[in-house]
Amino acid sequence: MTAARPPRQRPQKKQRKGRSSPGAPAGAAGGRPRRVLPLLIATIAALAVASTSAGVYAALTTDGSGGHAASPGGSHGDAPPSAGQGDPVKVVDEGQVAPLRRVVPPDVLAAEAGSISAAKIAKIAKLKRVRDVVAVAGGAVQLQGRQVNAFAVDPSSFRSWTPPGTAKRTDLWAALAADRFVVSPDAAKQLQLTKGYEYPVVGRTIPKLTMGGSGDLGLPGINMLVSKKSGTQMGLVPNVAVLVNAPGVSPAKVVTAVRKILGRGANVVNLHDAKYQSSGTGGKANSYLDLYKQAATSCPGLSWTVLAAIGQVESDHGRNAGRSSAGALGPMQFMPATWKSYGVDGDGDGKADIMNPYDAIPGAAKYLCANGAGRGGQQLYRAIWHYNHADWYVQKVLNLARAYAARYN
């Protein structure tokens, strides 16, 4: 049902400028510890159905610019905003791990049979339009008599590379910091794992680790995370895989460039391939793509592609969600005063958090719908104009929406 049109709020003009988020466990047989199995490169792709990727999908710009536009209810001049990395965004700040400051969605996953050299990692980082690269240790280990692919990570930094719903769960990252392990929901179910129980993990050594919880990891074929300390103890291979974030460029081009650097023996995966996309479990959105689609259903007639386009222009899908010069905040860049009227508790945690994409994206849908976006045509144009009082902004959003529709629909 389309919401009634609210009284128009007075625009809050802001100046744009560059910017300087059981059962008892099955035990391993006694005797001499086995060496860790090499990471099964082919398995990364083969297990993708059970462990699909998530996170923000690549931007579809013609100029490659991201960064903020005006917030809902705001306006500014005729020139498009300049792109900027933006200040770190504080989303959560508690426990043994560093706060989640920004989203770093992986576009490409690459792995080798052995360690990737520092020189190759540096070359990947220097590729045009690559913004972030993280290298992780990994390998195949045995858990409950089954082989699983594990990454050893720093919980304070790696959480940014996981889907929004997982990244914000401080309990999972605090568990990793305490040398517990985290698995995907599929692995937890298939291996009949229970949180708080201790299990032997068979690698080069056989440490007994406690399950700290489960959450979508967003990486095909990777179904277990352990701490760096545990990974070293088990003999996981250092720098066996890299994740690459390259907003505003075709992931397929990044795959080609990374494969050229790593050589023919490497397995390089485009995480935006349809087979790696999912809508989560139990209807829970796992990615910004899911969130845009889910939020659009609250406003009949509004296409998710419009929300995706606005999310790209406003914050590059959460990458640049910090406070603007006028005080706008979050992945959809709401002014706090506007958020008081249109904020939504999208994830049911009891609060409408302007910084939380699970709240901000449905909040944007609510704001657009209240201004007639569901009726299409000129009403949609006016609704987007209300989001940012500039015709260039409306045209950019509509053009991006068409690009998203062409790519994903």
Side-chain angles (χ1 to χ4, degrees), residues 86-371:
D87 299 324
V89 179
K90 179 177 178 179
V91 179
V92 292
D93 188 5
E94 57 182 277
Q96 305 173 47
V97 294
L100 175 65
R101 295 190 179 279
R102 62 190 179 102
V103 175
V104 186
D107 298 309
V108 170
L109 167 63
E112 286 191 347
S115 295
I116 300 173
S117 70
K120 288 182 177 180
I121 295 172
K123 285 184 178 180
I124 293 172
K126 291 179 181 178
L127 287 173
K128 186 177 180 180
R129 308 297 290 277
V130 166
R131 182 176 294 179
D132 291 282
V133 174
V134 63
V136 295
V141 298
Q142 287 194 5
L143 178 63
Q144 293 288 73
R146 298 276 296 277
Q147 186 166 274
V148 298
N149 287 328
F151 276 172
V153 303
D154 175 355
S156 292
S157 59
F158 191 78
R159 65 186 302 182
S160 299
W161 292 83
T162 59
T166 302
K168 70 178 233 179
R169 289 186 54 190
T170 303
D171 62 307
L172 292 181
W173 306 104
L176 272 175
D179 295 319
R180 300 189 172 198
F181 70 88
V182 171
V183 294
S184 67
D186 287 331
K189 180 179 180 180
Q190 293 169 11
L191 302 180
Q192 298 182 338
L193 302 173
T194 301
K195 182 179 178 180
Y197 275 68
E198 196 175 65
Y199 300 87
V201 182
V202 183
R204 183 169 297 167
T205 61
I206 311 179
K208 288 186 177 181
L209 302 180
T210 301
M211 180 184 172
S214 66
D216 180 58
L217 306 182
L219 300 171
I222 306 304
N223 32 39
M224 183 180 188
L225 297 181
V226 298
S227 68
K228 285 190 172 182
K229 177 182 175 181
S230 296
T232 300
Q233 184 180 6
M234 290 186 290
L236 298 186
V237 182
N239 294 347
V240 76
V242 292
L243 291 170
V244 183
N245 165 249
V249 64
S250 167
K253 292 183 178 180
V254 181
V255 166
T256 300
V258 171
R259 185 175 285 124
K260 184 177 180 180
I261 292 171
L262 296 183
R264 297 178 61 183
N267 190 44
V268 187
V269 175
N270 176 357
L271 294 176
H272 300 286
D273 280 349
K275 61 184 176 181
Y276 300 141
Q277 302 296 322
S278 77
S279 295
T281 56
K284 180 68 171 179
N286 281 339
S287 68
Y288 272 72
L289 177 61
D290 295 336
L291 286 170
Y292 294 133
K293 290 182 176 181
Q294 193 174 84
T297 63
S298 68
C299 181
L302 174 64
S303 171
W304 68 267
T305 61
V306 173
L307 288 172
I310 290 175
Q312 179 178 314
V313 176
E314 294 291 346
S315 73
D316 201 5
H317 312 304
R319 293 179 175 97
N320 189 18
R323 184 181 296 274
S324 73
S325 59
L329 288 167
M332 302 306 279
Q333 285 293 282
F334 272 93
M335 293 296 290
T338 308
W339 181 254
K340 288 182 179 180
S341 299
Y342 295 95
V344 172
D345 177 16
D347 58 3
D349 64 356
K351 62 179 180 180
D353 184 354
I354 197 172
M355 302 303 299
N356 183 351
Y358 284 85
D359 298 341
I361 292 173
K366 179 180 178 181
Y367 183 84
L368 289 167
C369 206
N371 284 286

